[in-house]
Amino acid sequence: MYGLSGSGKSTIANAAERNLHASGRFTAILDGDNLRSGLNRNLGFSDADREENIRRTAEVAKIFASQGVMTFVTLITPRNVFRRMARTIVGGRFIEVYVKTSFEICARRDPKGLYKKADAGAIGNFTGRDSNFEEPNNADLVLDTEGNSVDECATQLTAHLETFIQAH
């Protein structure tokens, strides 16, 4: 799951994970903020560091998937090339979910105060402002958080995953 900071990636993943866990699925969430405080704490926000952050996370997701764990990965993932890399690493169990929300709405939400810090110059390479965010070429699912609630997005995501599981 990818999108701008404040788009709702983690919130939707948590809600969908609760739904799937309640139905007996074994699930996990790899959240960008949590990963950057541990496994990826030595990485910054340059393109090279972002690529390495995504590569490491995709490798962990691949290991989880090989063990039958439905794994939600919530990262900004600003470039299509990074998304293709993650898809290649994870393989056939990869589902690309774009959490679509405009920069303006994310800045208004600003749950972590990051947009305010970026405006003040305290954060460089801020995605959507100083660093480009590429709209997806071919996401498997697009969740519009401007037009849908968290519960509606989680329901859409859960339904998509269940359909994917049945097909594979």
Side-chain angles (χ1 to χ4, degrees), residues 26-103:
F26 189 43
T27 60
I29 296 177
L30 296 174
D31 180 77
D33 290 337
N34 294 336
L35 292 165
R36 282 188 175 275
S37 69
L39 177 67
N40 297 332
R41 74 175 166 262
N42 65 319
L43 300 173
F45 292 93
S46 68
D47 273 352
D49 283 351
R50 287 176 189 269
E51 181 177 11
E52 179 60 13
N53 180 50
I54 293 161
R55 187 197 67 76
R56 289 179 190 178
T57 304
E59 292 289 353
V60 173
K62 177 182 175 181
I63 292 167
F64 282 11
S66 74
Q67 300 300 312
V69 180
M70 293 185 73
T71 307
F72 296 88
V73 176
T74 59
L75 301 174
I76 292 173
T77 319
R79 309 248 187 278
N80 285 310
V81 67
F82 298 162
R83 297 174 204 138
R84 284 191 302 273
M85 175 190 62
R87 184 182 293 271
T88 299
I89 291 169
V90 174
R93 296 180 179 177
F94 184 91
I95 299 171
E96 183 178 322
V97 180
Y98 174 40
V99 181
K100 182 179 180 177
T101 313
S102 69
F103 183 87

Side-chain angles (χ1 to χ4, degrees), residues 5-6 10 31 33 109-115 117:
S5 178
S10 299
D31 180 77
D33 290 337
R109 291 176 182 168
D110 200 10
K112 300 172 201 161
L114 298 176
Y115 288 82
K117 287 180 185 177

Side-chain angles (χ1 to χ4, degrees), residues 132-149:
N132 189 34
F133 182 89
E134 297 173 354
E135 294 282 324
N137 291 332
N138 56 352
D140 297 308
L141 178 64
V142 177
L143 300 174
D144 179 357
T145 66
E146 290 183 39
N148 297 290
S149 69

Side-chain angles (χ1 to χ4, degrees), residues 121-132:
I123 298 175
N125 294 320
F126 193 73
T127 306
R129 183 176 175 268
D130 308 316
S131 180
N132 189 34

